[in-house]
Each structure stands twice: as C-alpha cells, then as structure tokens.
C-alpha cells in the first residue's frame, strides 16, 4: 500500500474528533437527565458543589465536568479549580425552550444506536425496521430535537410564507397535523391560532397518548385532538391546512399519502410539507448537515419506510426534485419552495 502519511494523519485527526463526539453523546444525555447543566448555569462551582446541588456523586461529577470542559461544553478556571458555563452554552444546553437547545439531538443519537444490532440484520435481508420498533429514547429525543426549530420558525416564518394560510388560521380553520409524533408542532399551532381546530394523527399509539397529555398540560385540549391513524387513511375532510413535519420521507407510500391529502383538503386548501434540508445532487449534500441527515436516514428513516407497504425509501436527503415528483404523482399540480432554514425545506402544495 502506498500510504500518504499526510493524508493518513489528517484522517486520524478526523477519527479522534468523531470517536470523541460519539463518546461525548452519552455524557450530554447524562448531564441533561441529571440536571447538571441547569444547575451549573447558576454560576461557577466546584465538582463537590455541583454534586451537592444535584444530589449526585462528587467523583462521577468531577469526571463528567472534565469531559465537558475537554469538549468545550463548559469552561474550566485552573486558578479557582471551578467550572462554569458561558451564556451561549447555557442557551444551548440548559434552556429547554431556546431555539438552540441541543440535548434532544443526543437522545436521538443514543436511541438510534440501540437498534444497531437489529439493523445489521435488515441490511442483510433488505427488510425494514419500523419506527415503533426503536427504543423510546428515540421518540423522546425526536420531539425535543425538533421542537426548538419549530418554536423558532413555524409561526414566525413558515406559516406566513404560505399563500393566504395565516389569515385563515387566525379567523378559524381546520388543520390536520399528520405524523405528529409527540404533538409539539400541533400544540405550537394551537397556541398561536386559538380560533382554529387541530387534529394530530400518528400511527404510533404511545406517541398519541403522549401528545394528548402535552396538549392538556399546555391548556389547548379544547381545540386539539389526537388520533391513531396513518397518512394513507387519516379521517376527515375539508381541511384548510394539512401539515407534514419531517415525516413524508419516512413513509412507505408517500405517493399514496399525497393522494389521500388531496382528497382530504377543502377547495383552496393547502398542504405544508416540512422536510430536512437537502440539495438534489448527492455531491452537494456531502457536508456536516448532510452527514447528520444521511446517518439518521440510514438508521431510522430508510428502515422505517422499508417496513411499510411499497417501501419507497425516499431517505432524509430526498431533495426538492424527488419530493416534487412524489407530490405531483399524488395529484398535486402546484408545488413550490415557500421558505427554508439551514436544517429544513418548507414546501407549499395545492391541487
């Protein structure tokens, strides 16, 4: 083998970063679950003080703090031998409602990794691995990962980017949120548009139970309901708006889902499709964001689609061209990119 030592060393440097990130994921979830980040957000403290505030063991906490400092997730002052967090670290790690809150993403990673032994089997057989077959940590993490982005963008920019939709919602509309999961998007819309009625649908029963509880706690249960149903058979007609948040690519039969949405919309109704950001060409997605989405798609999205009827397996990096084709095959004649963020594409479709 003709080894270029410069290239090898560069690759090994990337490996060091990657294995550190993989190991670090577990420490972030521990810090989140044990309240370590939230406690440390109060100000500089020693491992003993943080352990006392969180009722944890000082020796474990000292090792955890050292790992966080090495990762740049907390700061260490060698003179005082205390640890603290910057305002930006607090915003991202200890502020649950912030648009930059990241611990949920690490829950997604750990939840997905627990399925790796079973995923090795479906790689060999070509069979699927359903969303419902994953560890519950994935469901919890997905809601906490996506909710900050929805909170930052859904009401402020995504819905206003749809032609004529926001006035309808303010006046009183009927909305279906399909593939709603734990109901974060449904509840956010219900809070913003109290004159409208919202129905969340998901095929995963435990997620629907969770969503009902979330709606009750948020005080919107009077105008929000949740039902177990798939994208191909959710009930109801004359919806002013049907919304799919980060789920169309997971479906086995997205064309069938498109046809059903067309039948469920009232005349002049709108279908909002939110999907992970992706370019049409593979080479244009070979970047840090694409790496996240392709990895998640390998372990979650593609196996989920393959577990369902048709099993089209669009993948999380389907891109606008493929999505346009799917929606068009479902009978929609109008399709446009309404807006975007670094992580999402937002499309508007009309019959």
């Amino acid at each position: 083998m003709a080894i270029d030592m410069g290239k090898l060393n560069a690759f090994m440097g990337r490996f060091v970063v990657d294995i550190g990130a993989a190991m670090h994921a577990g420490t972030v979830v521990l810090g989140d679950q044990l309240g370590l980040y939230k406690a440390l957000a109060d100000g500089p403290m020693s491992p003993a003080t943080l352990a006392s505030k969180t009722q944890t063991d000082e020796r474990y906490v000292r090792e955890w703090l050292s790992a966080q400092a090495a990762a740049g997730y907390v700061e260490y002052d060698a003179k005082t031998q205390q640890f603290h967090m910057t305002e930006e670290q607090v915003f991202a790690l200890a502020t649950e409602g912030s648009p930059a809150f990241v611990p949920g993403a690490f829950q997604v990673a750990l939840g997905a990794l627990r399925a790796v032994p079973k995923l090795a089997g479906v790689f060999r057989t070509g069979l699927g691995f359903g969303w419902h077959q994953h560890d519950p940590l994935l469901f919890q993490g997905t809601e906490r990962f996506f909710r900050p982005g929805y909170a930052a963008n859904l009401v402020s920019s995504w819905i206003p980017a749809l032609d004529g939709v926001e006035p309808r919602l303010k006046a009183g509309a009927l909305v279906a949120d399909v593939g709603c999961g734990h109901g974060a998007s449904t509840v956010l819309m219900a809070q913003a548009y109290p004159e409208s009625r919202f129905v969340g649908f998901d095929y995963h029963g435990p997620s629907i139970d969770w969503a009902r509880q979330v709606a009750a706690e948020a005080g919107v249960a009077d105008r929000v309901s949740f039902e177990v149903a798939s994208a191909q058979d959710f009930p109801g007609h004359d919806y002013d708006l049907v919304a799919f948040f980060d789920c169309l690519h997971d479906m086995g039969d997205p064309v069938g889902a498109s046809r059903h949405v067309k039948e469920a919309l009232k005349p002049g109704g709108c279908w909002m499709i939110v999907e992970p950001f992706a370019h049409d060409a593979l080479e244009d997605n070979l970047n840090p964001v694409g790496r996240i989405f392709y990895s998640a798609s390998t372990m979650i999205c593609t196996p989920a689609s393959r577990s369902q009827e048709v099993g089209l397996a669009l993948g999380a990096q389907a891109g606008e061209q493929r999505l346009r084709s799917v929606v068009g095959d479902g009978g929609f004649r109008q399709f446009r990119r309404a807006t975007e963020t670094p992580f999402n594409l937002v499309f508007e479709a009309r019959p």
Side-chain angles (χ1 to χ4, degrees):
M1 298 177 68
I3 300 296
D4 183 317
M5 291 307 298
K7 291 181 179 179
L8 178 61
N9 288 334
F11 178 82
M12 294 308 293
R14 175 169 291 183
F15 153 75
V16 169
V17 172
D18 287 352
I19 190 63
M23 299 299 293
H24 177 65
T27 72
V28 174
V29 172
L30 283 170
D32 176 54
Q33 292 183 349
L34 295 171
L36 297 172
Y37 291 122
K38 287 182 172 65
L40 189 60
D42 291 340
M45 59 188 71
S46 67
T49 301
L50 181 58
S52 177
K53 286 174 66 71
T54 55
Q55 298 183 329
T56 51
D57 180 81
E58 185 274 337
R59 180 64 187 91
Y60 283 125
V61 168
R62 176 155 41 99
E63 208 71 4
W64 179 85
L65 282 166
S66 300
Q68 300 307 297
Y73 277 45
V74 308
E75 307 300 315
Y76 176 63
D77 187 333
K79 292 182 179 179
T80 63
Q81 296 188 350
Q82 289 188 325
F83 297 83
H84 70 278
M85 299 175 71
T86 65
E87 290 185 359
E88 293 77 18
Q89 290 164 343
V90 170
F91 192 62
L93 293 164
T95 308
E96 184 90 26
S98 91
F101 186 71
V102 299
F106 292 94
Q107 286 181 288
V108 170
L110 291 191
L113 287 172
R114 291 177 181 178
V116 165
K118 295 178 180 178
L119 290 172
V122 304
F123 262 64
R124 294 187 177 96
T125 64
L127 299 175
F129 189 83
W131 172 262
H132 61 282
Q133 294 176 268
H134 280 276
D135 189 277
L137 186 64
L138 176 63
F139 314 144
Q140 299 163 14
T142 297
E143 190 268 342
R144 296 180 81 211
F145 175 50
F146 283 115
R147 182 174 8 115
Y150 297 161
N153 298 292
L154 175 54
V155 173
S156 64
S157 61
W158 293 352
I159 288 177
L162 306 175
D163 186 22
V165 170
E166 187 171 49
R168 284 197 185 191
L169 293 176
K170 288 181 176 179
L174 179 62
V175 180
D177 185 359
V178 180
C180 65
H182 282 192
S185 52
T186 326
V187 169
L188 284 168
M189 290 189 290
Q191 290 172 324
Y193 304 107
E195 298 302 317
S196 292
R197 292 187 296 116
F198 301 85
V199 187
F201 299 106
D202 201 287
Y203 92 94
H204 187 235
S207 289
I208 289 297
D209 292 338
W210 185 289
R212 288 170 177 158
Q213 181 179 340
V214 169
E217 292 173 353
V220 296
D222 60 322
R223 54 188 181 274
V224 174
S225 61
F226 292 97
E227 299 181 30
V228 176
S230 76
Q232 288 78 31
D233 64 12
F234 66 89
H237 295 280
D238 291 330
Y239 289 105
D240 296 275
L241 175 67
V242 174
F244 280 37
F245 292 96
D246 291 291
C247 63
L248 182 63
H249 65 273
D250 293 303
M251 296 176 184
D253 184 12
V255 174
S258 299
R259 293 194 189 101
H260 189 65
V261 171
K262 183 175 180 289
E263 295 171 356
L265 285 172
K266 70 162 47 174
C270 174
W271 183 16
M272 176 171 64
I273 305 163
V274 179
E275 281 287 297
F277 187 94
H279 299 285
D280 290 323
L282 169 62
E283 59 268 25
D284 294 328
N285 295 323
L286 302 182
N287 53 57
V289 174
R291 180 192 193 196
I292 294 170
F293 287 141
Y294 278 125
S295 296
S297 188
T298 300
M299 294 188 291
I300 305 168
C301 311
T302 302
S305 179
R306 293 292 290 271
S307 74
Q308 303 168 52
E309 185 179 350
V310 180
L312 188 61
L314 285 172
Q317 294 286 268
E320 182 171 346
Q321 184 175 344
R322 292 194 70 198
L323 293 168
R324 180 186 296 273
S325 177
V326 163
V327 172
D329 288 347
F332 285 83
R333 295 294 172 260
Q334 299 179 42
F335 181 88
R336 72 179 182 94
R337 184 186 302 198
T339 188
E340 64 186 64
T341 74
F343 292 98
N344 286 107
L345 295 172
V346 181
F347 300 105
E348 174 184 336
R350 295 178 186 271

